[in-house]
Amino acid sequence: MRYGSTFLIALGLFAAPALAQSEAPSYSKGSVWDYGQIKTVDGHFDDYMKWLAGPWQEQQEALKKAGHIVSYKVLLVADPRKDEPDIILATEYANMAAFDRSTAEEYKMGEKIWGSLSKASQEQAARGAIRTVLGTMMVREAVLK
């Protein structure tokens, strides 16, 4: 009986490293992406694209230069169905910590980019005539090992 228990203990010692390896995560946490889903009003697609190529791109470049974002993209949806976006605005952040900024920091950066809060609010309202924000989706990349 003693020989059998010694064998089981030895088997357990060899199996333990294999079990530990199989329980290790198969991925690591990557960057965070925010996808804004935009539906342009009929006849205003080019108007909105001009705004994206102007003020929006300037805003994204300022955020990138300040280290708040990593990258950004404008994605066009081919043949969107009813109530689906025709444009997706993708913004990449290094990690979730990028969102942990104080309100004062956010307002200061906003003022640097857009000027006054009231001016930014008026411009936001004006864009409502040419597009609808359907929603946003935040996702984190899983970097496979």
Side-chain angles (χ1 to χ4, degrees):
M1 191 73 167
R2 185 169 176 215
Y3 175 73
S5 62
T6 304
F7 176 74
L8 290 176
I9 291 171
L11 181 63
L13 291 174
F14 287 113
L19 288 174
Q21 288 175 354
S22 68
E23 292 182 21
S26 58
Y27 70 97
S28 60
K29 294 177 180 177
S31 59
V32 175
W33 284 87
D34 182 60
Y35 295 101
Q37 302 171 33
I38 308 298
K39 176 80 172 160
T40 56
V41 173
D42 288 345
H44 290 284
F45 177 84
D46 288 329
D47 296 332
Y48 194 68
M49 290 301 292
K50 286 177 187 172
W51 179 79
L52 290 174
W56 185 81
Q57 187 171 15
E58 291 169 12
Q59 164 195 300
Q60 297 300 89
E61 285 296 326
L63 290 169
K64 190 174 172 182
K65 183 178 179 181
H68 292 272
I69 67 173
V70 175
S71 68
Y72 61 93
K73 297 178 183 308
V74 175
L75 306 169
L76 303 180
V77 178
D79 301 320
R81 294 171 288 198
K82 184 180 187 249
D83 298 325
E84 288 185 342
D86 52 344
I87 300 172
I88 296 174
L89 305 177
T91 305
E92 181 184 18
Y93 299 85
N95 51 42
M96 286 292 191
F99 298 96
D100 196 19
R101 301 192 189 283
S102 71
T103 305
E105 285 178 286
E106 291 173 353
Y107 271 65
K108 186 176 180 181
M109 189 64 183
E111 190 174 289
K112 183 177 178 182
I113 294 171
W114 306 295
S116 72
L117 181 59
S118 62
K119 178 185 173 205
S121 295
Q122 289 170 355
E123 290 175 4
Q124 173 83 0
R127 283 190 303 282
I130 62 172
R131 61 94 173 104
T132 300
V133 177
L134 298 178
T136 61
M137 178 184 294
M138 184 178 293
V139 298
R140 181 187 291 249
E141 180 181 5
V143 179
L144 301 177
K145 293 182 179 180

